[in-house]
Coordinates of all heavy atoms in Angstrom, one line a residue:
R40 N 1.8 -58.1 99.4 CA 1.3 -56.8 99.0 C -0.3 -56.8 99.2 O -0.8 -55.7 99.3 CB 1.7 -56.5 97.6 CG 3.2 -56.3 97.4 CD 3.5 -56.2 95.9 NE 3.3 -57.5 95.3 CZ 3.5 -57.8 94.0 NH1 3.9 -56.8 93.2 NH2 3.3 -58.9 93.4
D41 N -0.9 -58.0 99.1 CA -2.4 -58.1 99.3 C -2.6 -58.5 100.7 O -2.6 -59.7 101.0 CB -2.9 -59.1 98.3 CG -4.4 -59.2 98.3 OD1 -5.0 -58.8 99.3 OD2 -5.0 -59.7 97.3
L42 N -2.7 -57.6 101.6 CA -2.8 -57.8 103.0 C -4.0 -58.7 103.4 O -3.9 -59.6 104.2 CB -2.8 -56.6 103.8 CG -2.7 -56.7 105.3 CD1 -1.4 -57.4 105.7 CD2 -2.8 -55.3 106.0
A43 N -5.1 -58.4 102.8 CA -6.3 -59.2 103.1 C -6.2 -60.7 102.7 O -6.6 -61.6 103.5 CB -7.5 -58.6 102.4
R44 N -5.5 -60.9 101.5 CA -5.3 -62.3 101.1 C -4.4 -63.0 102.1 O -4.6 -64.2 102.5 CB -4.7 -62.3 99.7 CG -4.3 -63.7 99.2 CD -3.7 -63.6 97.8 NE -3.2 -64.9 97.4 CZ -3.9 -65.8 96.7 NH1 -5.2 -65.6 96.4 NH2 -3.4 -66.9 96.3
A45 N -3.3 -62.3 102.5 CA -2.4 -62.9 103.5 C -3.1 -63.2 104.8 O -2.8 -64.2 105.5 CB -1.2 -61.9 103.7
Q46 N -3.9 -62.3 105.3 CA -4.6 -62.5 106.5 C -5.5 -63.7 106.5 O -5.5 -64.5 107.5 CB -5.4 -61.2 106.9 CG -4.6 -60.0 107.3 CD -5.3 -58.8 107.4 OE1 -6.4 -58.6 106.8 NE2 -4.8 -57.9 108.3
E47 N -6.2 -63.9 105.4 CA -7.0 -65.1 105.3 C -6.2 -66.4 105.3 O -6.5 -67.3 106.0 CB -7.8 -65.0 104.0 CG -8.9 -63.9 104.0 CD -9.6 -63.8 102.6 OE1 -9.3 -64.6 101.7 OE2 -10.5 -62.9 102.5
M48 N -5.1 -66.3 104.6 CA -4.2 -67.5 104.5 C -3.6 -67.8 105.9 O -3.5 -68.9 106.3 CB -3.1 -67.3 103.4 CG -2.2 -68.5 103.2 SD -1.0 -68.3 101.9 CE -2.1 -68.3 100.5
A49 N -3.1 -66.8 106.5 CA -2.5 -66.9 107.8 C -3.5 -67.5 108.9 O -3.2 -68.3 109.7 CB -2.0 -65.6 108.4
G50 N -4.8 -67.1 108.7 CA -5.8 -67.6 109.6 C -6.0 -69.1 109.4 O -6.2 -69.9 110.3
R51 N -5.9 -69.6 108.1 CA -6.1 -71.0 107.8 C -4.9 -71.8 108.2 O -5.0 -73.0 108.5 CB -6.3 -71.2 106.3 CG -7.7 -70.6 105.8 CD -7.9 -71.1 104.4 NE -6.9 -70.7 103.4 CZ -7.0 -69.5 102.7 NH1 -8.0 -68.7 102.9 NH2 -6.0 -69.2 101.9
T52 N -3.7 -71.2 108.2 CA -2.5 -71.9 108.5 C -1.8 -71.6 109.8 O -0.7 -72.1 110.1 CB -1.5 -71.6 107.3 OG1 -1.2 -70.2 107.3 CG2 -2.0 -72.2 106.0
N53 N -2.4 -70.8 110.6 CA -1.9 -70.5 112.0 C -0.6 -69.7 111.9 O 0.3 -70.0 112.8 CB -1.8 -71.7 112.9 CG -3.2 -72.4 113.1 OD1 -4.2 -71.7 113.3 ND2 -3.3 -73.7 112.9
V54 N -0.4 -68.9 111.0 CA 0.8 -68.0 111.0 C 0.5 -66.8 111.8 O -0.4 -66.1 111.6 CB 1.2 -67.6 109.6 CG1 2.4 -66.7 109.5 CG2 1.5 -68.8 108.7
P55 N 1.4 -66.5 112.8 CA 1.0 -65.5 113.8 C 1.1 -64.0 113.3 O 0.4 -63.2 113.8 CB 2.0 -65.7 115.0 CG 3.1 -66.4 114.4 CD 2.6 -67.3 113.3
L56 N 2.0 -63.8 112.4 CA 2.3 -62.4 112.0 C 2.0 -62.2 110.5 O 2.5 -63.0 109.7 CB 3.7 -62.0 112.3 CG 4.2 -60.6 111.8 CD1 3.4 -59.5 112.5 CD2 5.7 -60.4 112.0
V57 N 1.2 -61.2 110.2 CA 0.9 -60.9 108.8 C 1.3 -59.4 108.5 O 0.9 -58.6 109.4 CB -0.6 -61.1 108.5 CG1 -0.8 -60.8 107.0 CG2 -1.0 -62.6 108.8
T58 N 1.9 -59.2 107.4 CA 2.3 -57.8 107.1 C 2.3 -57.5 105.6 O 2.6 -58.4 104.8 CB 3.6 -57.5 107.8 OG1 4.0 -56.1 107.5 CG2 4.7 -58.3 107.2
D59 N 2.2 -56.2 105.3 CA 2.5 -55.8 103.9 C 3.6 -54.8 103.8 O 3.9 -54.1 102.9 CB 1.2 -55.2 103.3 CG 0.7 -54.0 104.0 OD1 1.3 -53.6 105.1 OD2 -0.3 -53.4 103.6
D60 N 4.4 -54.8 104.9 CA 5.6 -53.9 105.0 C 6.9 -54.8 105.0 O 7.3 -55.3 106.0 CB 5.6 -53.1 106.3 CG 6.7 -52.1 106.4 OD1 7.7 -52.2 105.7 OD2 6.5 -51.1 107.2
L61 N 7.4 -55.0 103.8 CA 8.5 -55.9 103.6 C 9.8 -55.4 104.3 O 10.5 -56.2 105.0 CB 8.8 -56.1 102.1 CG 10.0 -57.1 101.8 CD1 9.7 -58.5 102.3 CD2 10.2 -57.1 100.3
E62 N 10.1 -54.1 104.2 CA 11.3 -53.5 104.8 C 11.3 -53.8 106.3 O 12.3 -54.2 106.9 CB 11.4 -52.1 104.5 CG 12.7 -51.4 105.0 CD 12.8 -50.0 104.6 OE1 11.9 -49.5 103.9 OE2 13.8 -49.3 105.0
A63 N 10.1 -53.5 107.0 CA 10.0 -53.7 108.4 C 10.2 -55.1 108.8 O 10.8 -55.5 109.8 CB 8.7 -53.1 108.9
L64 N 9.6 -56.0 108.0 CA 9.7 -57.4 108.3 C 11.1 -57.9 108.3 O 11.6 -58.7 109.2 CB 8.8 -58.2 107.3 CG 8.8 -59.7 107.5 CD1 8.3 -60.2 108.8 CD2 8.1 -60.4 106.3
L65 N 11.8 -57.5 107.2 CA 13.2 -58.0 107.1 C 14.1 -57.4 108.1 O 15.2 -57.9 108.4 CB 13.7 -57.7 105.6 CG 13.0 -58.4 104.5 CD1 13.6 -58.0 103.2 CD2 13.1 -59.9 104.7

Side-chain angles (χ1 to χ4, degrees):
R40 293 169 294 178
D41 186 339
L42 187 61
R44 176 182 173 89
Q46 289 171 332
E47 291 176 3
M48 185 176 292
R51 294 190 299 269
T52 56
N53 298 314
V54 177
L56 173 64
V57 182
T58 182
D59 58 359
D60 188 336
L61 181 61
E62 184 176 0
L64 177 64
L65 295 178

